[in-house]
Amino acid sequence: MLEILQEILQVGFFAAVIRIATPLILATLGEMFTERGGVLNLGIEGIMLLAAMSGFTAAYFSGSLWLGILAAMLAGALMGLLMGVLTVSLGLSQHVSGIGTTLLSTGLAFFLYRLIFGQPSLPPNIEAFKTVALPVLSGIPLLGPVLFDQFALVYIALLLVPASALLLYHTPWGLNLRAVGENPRAADAAGVSVTGLRYQGLVLSGMLMGVGGAFLSMAQFNAFTFGVISGRGWVCIALVVFGQWSPWKCFGGALLFAFVDALQLRLQASGVIDLPYQLFLMMPFVLTIVLMALVSRSARPPAALLKPFRKEER
Amino acid sequence: MIRLRLESREQTPTWLRVTLPLFAIAATLLLCAGLVAMAGANVLEAYAHLLLSSFRSRFDFVETLVKATPIAFTGLAVAVAFRAKFWNIGAEGQLLAGAIAAAFVGGRAGLPAWSLVPLMLLCGMAAGAAWALLPAVLKTRYKVDDVVTTLLLNFIMFYLMMALVDGPWKDPLSGYPDSPDIRIEAEFPILLAATRLHLGVLLALLAAPLTWFLMRRTTLGFNIRAVGENPIAARYAGIRIPMVITATAAVSGALAGLAGVSEVGGIHFQVMAGLSPGYGYTGIVIATLALLNPLGVLPAAFFFAVIITGAEAMSRATGVPVFLADVFQGVALICMLVAILFTQYRLRIRRVATQR
């Protein structure tokens, strides 16, 4: 067993961990932002799927990958807006609105993909993102190939972690967002627009989830498949709880999940453990539940999470 | 200047409860018409296929009833759970748990033939309940969010099922990852010759009034509703919330498990990858459309069975992708949520004097 692990835990493995973590980092940060403002976005799973489809399709027809990313962000932002109308303006149940958004986005992704591409025997594909080795940095032994010979989106995701922490804790916008999520009544009295900030949080979350989804269909793989997200969005919801609504801890959670996911993939491929491969696929999900059970007792979600805010009600 | 205002309502008139889902469905049809037109089809022709295919022949009608059965069970499961605000998004996994248990029991050679169907029902309910108890215990003991756990458990149960039918439980005679067929005696009796109208359909029809009775006429049902409506008041009234949540989960899981038993006993006679194309999630849409009323679940389930059946006919005839049914479910859920606002609020139009 030790030898297998020694064989697995190589530079290439850790590079894979970072790659697998990237969509999770993006979507988890997105979910963290909206929850910090007091709105749970359960649309995440569907939004990632719709964005994966939109990004792929835009890139397929325009030939520009970055235009694809833009389309994915747009799709995410639109669904964020929809969530805003339902949960912020109308004050509907965040749980059911989110499930509705996921069902709608999933349906739309399937419907539009079939409409645009039909049922070809070979799924259409694109020239996906290529890794960009950063000069000098990628030459650092061990760390270089793991961190600095990656897709551009990986760098963006990694930079977004400190940027999110900065935005959340050291800007007036971040302070207002947190105030809106903790005590909307007081924030409102102080002249902060609860509605505006919650919408902004949702749109931002949609865009980040969108990039996360597009990473899967445009960098990790070069085609869109119906199962491309397969539960990753739901995992991100759990990672936000595990990460205690803090950007750095969420990042840690995403890395931990990605580590286990990469490990199960390698163990599957090595064939040393003779178990059906589905049991390996199950591992990260089991781990997520165990992690949730460990931290949930002490977790302190934003106080106004799930609570609609109506100005006129006291 | 005209201002629109939402005012709270004290009570919801009954006519509103009945007509709201109809309004939601009408709005959904209107919204989805854009997609149909985008697909280049004549909207009226496509909708005729979508809505009427189920009524073209006795066979089509019966097939629609058969399709409505699993989603009626998952709809009931969700209606019970959501009443207690136990967010069971896991009917999908509980359905699979029930199906696995039913297929396992139904395949046992040593059991007397007469005991097979009752045992399948019992074991399937128990398996569904057990799979729902896990998130309930995690919620009540460890404060783990039920939405996340029920969702993740869906994936875990799916992979577990696939590991079984691709591994130790694989039918040696099949080239696919399928479980062996259940015994002939374990197959549900057919209620109408030359159709697939099986015992499960009847059970779903019985389960709805029974669930209604449970929710409306028993202490447990009262407690479930009390916990969902006002947990603080419920606690002061001496209701033990963790117990109620646990019982809710068990009932909900057992109902979802029955969906799986019914699919195995009446339709597939085995367990395989395509057993549930998201019946658990459709249950959420159905329960919401039924305003969480178990009796309303039946017509709602039938309606979505019409849509699912009709979408295939529509796709064959007009080329509109069959996934319109999926979009339809999402849009219907959202429209119904908005419509429910009107049970709690009324729209007041007021003229406000414009200030100069």
Side-chain angles (χ1 to χ4, degrees), chain A residues 50 248 303:
Chain A
L50 182 63
W248 284 106

Side-chain angles (χ1 to χ4, degrees), chain A residues 63-86:
Chain A
S64 158
L65 289 168
W66 290 105
L67 217 59
I69 295 296
L70 205 67
M73 287 171 75
L74 194 70
L78 280 175
M79 284 301 157
L81 268 182
L82 174 69
M83 274 299 288
V85 172
L86 298 174

